[in-house]
Amino acid sequence: MLAYIIRRLLLIIPTLFGIMVINFFIIQFAPGGPVEQLIAELQGTATEATARIAGGGGGDFQQAAEAQTDRGSSPATTSNYRGAQGLPPQLIAEIERQFGFDRPIHERFFLMMGNFLVFDFGDSYFRGQSVVDLVIDKMPVSISLGVWTTLLVYLISIPLGVRKAVRDGSRFDIWTSGLVIIGFAIPSFLFAVMLIVLFAGGRYFDWFPLRGLVSDNWADLSLPAQIIDYFWHMALPVLAMVIGGFATLTMLTKNSFLDEINKMYVLTAKAKGLTQRRVLYGHVFRNAMLIVVAGFPSAFIGVLFTGALFIEVIFSLDGLGLLGFEAVVNRDYPVVFGTLYFFTLLGLIMKLVEDIVYTVIDPRIDFEARRV
């Protein structure tokens, strides 16, 4: 197993490098980069959203532009940036230098990767904070959504899936299958809107808060009141994500148990006089839950970093999903590539952890005989 782990760790290096290369060059050629956005802000042609973001990092450039204009500098007539006409060429060059765009594209890439190797992700272009500080600041929201959603999904799906397998074809199985189909068919963000309309003052009841992870006076509350306030705010977002997540895992659990129940060793155990409960939880459970439990690390990472964007927007939760979305829209390259590098690395490590969990649950699985 040690040799397999070493091979997988070594395979992470080219995989991560390939992912970064592809995304780096795709994003570089996308129109509307950070230089263009700041030029639009200086020219007064930016949208309201761009102006609001660029206002945090473009103040120095704005003052430089006014100074260049006061000195009567000649306008930039050969700029490669659309909308840059009328700005001094020295200012354009300074903007490029500040963003690092005065270097060739390949040099920028390898400089970025060298910094990433020591987990130096740089500073956000427009937020005035380091990427690490931004991620740490947004992490509590995403961790809260990821942990409670994953925990509830597994606590609901596994018992329900086992029950459906044991009572396959019964009225209980048919009715619960209908609920599972409805849960699978309704997107989590649509269910979130329904919850707001029903329970967050949208139309009927005003039982739950509409935004934020905690209340404004959370720091002044006692510890029990803080815990209650936290779960009060988490109730609707987590419920919206659980509805869309439990359906797939429930059917996976049911099908895994059905596959094991019909095998010969189960019939042999029953023939020996073992009770159904002993057969189910003493023999079937361990084999049937292999694929379900082993997938827990990947499921948690998926919910934590990719599954909560719409929920964060709807419930005004400032988490990692919203941070990544805004970084892509505003071409905040340090945030985009820093979070991509970190979360991709974490995801690849979690895939290795998933394989290790397989061997812990079922020692018969041996990855040593396989080639990666």
Side-chain angles (χ1 to χ4, degrees):
M1 188 64 186
L2 180 60
Y4 174 77
I5 294 176
I6 294 175
R7 290 198 303 269
R8 284 293 300 270
L9 289 175
L10 293 176
L11 185 62
I12 287 176
I13 299 175
T15 303
L16 181 61
F17 183 82
I19 292 173
M20 295 302 299
V21 167
I22 294 173
N23 285 274
F24 181 84
F25 284 96
I26 289 177
I27 294 179
Q28 293 297 320
F29 289 108
V35 176
E36 290 90 334
Q37 294 210 23
L38 190 51
I39 288 174
E41 167 68 11
L42 295 176
Q43 290 288 76
T45 59
T47 63
E48 182 182 352
T50 304
R52 186 170 59 252
I53 296 297
D60 296 337
F61 294 126
Q62 183 73 49
Q63 296 174 3
E66 294 174 354
Q68 294 282 358
T69 303
D70 293 340
R71 287 195 297 268
S73 301
S74 59
T77 58
T78 59
S79 174
N80 294 324
Y81 300 105
R82 181 179 300 176
Q85 285 73 20
L87 292 179
Q90 296 88 344
L91 179 61
I92 302 299
E94 176 64 16
I95 294 175
E96 289 182 333
R97 187 189 67 79
Q98 291 288 342
F99 284 130
F101 282 81
D102 56 334
R103 297 186 179 93
I105 186 171
H106 66 278
E107 185 178 335
R108 284 188 279 124
F109 174 76
F110 286 108
L111 179 62
M112 179 190 73
M113 291 301 296
N115 293 331
F116 283 3
L117 288 177
V118 293
F119 293 95
D120 179 11
F121 300 116
D123 298 328
S124 168
Y125 285 157
F126 305 119
R127 290 177 178 263
Q129 289 181 268
S130 69
V131 175
V132 174
D133 290 340
L134 281 172
V135 171
I136 293 176
D137 184 49
K138 313 300 182 185
M139 190 72 79
V141 172
S142 296
I143 289 180
S144 296
L145 290 174
V147 167
W148 298 119
T149 299
T150 306
L151 181 63
L152 288 177
V153 164
Y154 271 77
L155 289 177
I156 294 173
S157 299
I158 292 177
L160 181 59
V162 173
R163 186 70 171 175
K164 285 173 64 63
V166 173
R167 303 184 60 179
D168 183 42
S170 66
R171 181 174 298 179
F172 172 82
D173 181 42
I174 295 174
W175 281 104
T176 53
S177 294
L179 295 177
V180 167
I181 293 173
I182 293 174
F184 184 78
I186 299 178
S188 58
F189 69 89
L190 181 59
F191 193 77
V193 174
M194 294 170 55
L195 291 176
I196 290 176
V197 172
L198 291 175
F199 302 113
R203 190 181 181 98
Y204 298 98
F205 305 102
D206 191 7
W207 293 347
F208 295 94
L210 186 57
R211 59 178 57 88
L213 187 63
V214 293
S215 300
D216 295 335
N217 63 336
W218 188 79
D220 300 328
L221 301 176
S222 62
L223 180 59
Q226 287 180 340
I227 295 175
I228 295 174
D229 182 77
Y230 167 76
F231 283 107
W232 183 46
H233 282 76
M234 281 285 97
L236 295 187
V238 170
L239 180 59
M241 295 185 66
V242 167
I243 291 297
F246 85 99
T248 302
L249 186 59
T250 298
M251 297 309 298
L252 178 62
T253 303
K254 176 190 175 182
N255 294 332
S256 297
F257 268 80
L258 283 178
D259 184 58
E260 293 295 326
I261 287 174
N262 295 322
K263 289 185 177 180
M264 186 59 66
Y265 75 90
V266 176
L267 298 177
T268 303
K270 291 181 178 179
K272 291 181 178 180
L274 298 180
T275 63
Q276 182 178 5
R277 184 179 182 86
R278 178 71 180 275
V279 173
L280 187 63
Y281 293 101
H283 295 76
V284 176
F285 189 84
R286 182 172 184 176
N287 295 326
M289 291 304 297
L290 176 63
I291 190 173
V292 177
V293 176
F296 180 84
S298 297
F300 174 70
I301 293 298
V303 173
L304 184 61
F305 298 126
T306 63
L309 172 59
F310 289 119
I311 301 299
E312 290 179 9
V313 172
I314 292 172
F315 289 98
S316 299
L317 298 172
D318 194 9
L320 293 174
L322 189 58
L323 173 67
F325 175 75
E326 291 180 347
V328 171
V329 170
N330 297 301
R331 304 297 192 269
D332 197 346
Y333 291 164
V335 177
V336 172
F337 295 122
T339 54
L340 175 66
Y341 177 88
F342 177 74
F343 297 142
T344 301
L345 178 61
L346 186 60
L348 292 172
I349 293 176
M350 285 299 101
K351 292 298 292 183
L352 175 59
V353 172
E354 183 176 322
D355 288 345
I356 296 175
V357 173
Y358 270 115
T359 62
V360 172
I361 297 176
D362 191 348
R364 296 173 299 176
I365 297 177
D366 183 14
F367 289 105
E368 291 285 358
R370 299 175 55 195
R371 292 184 179 181
V372 179

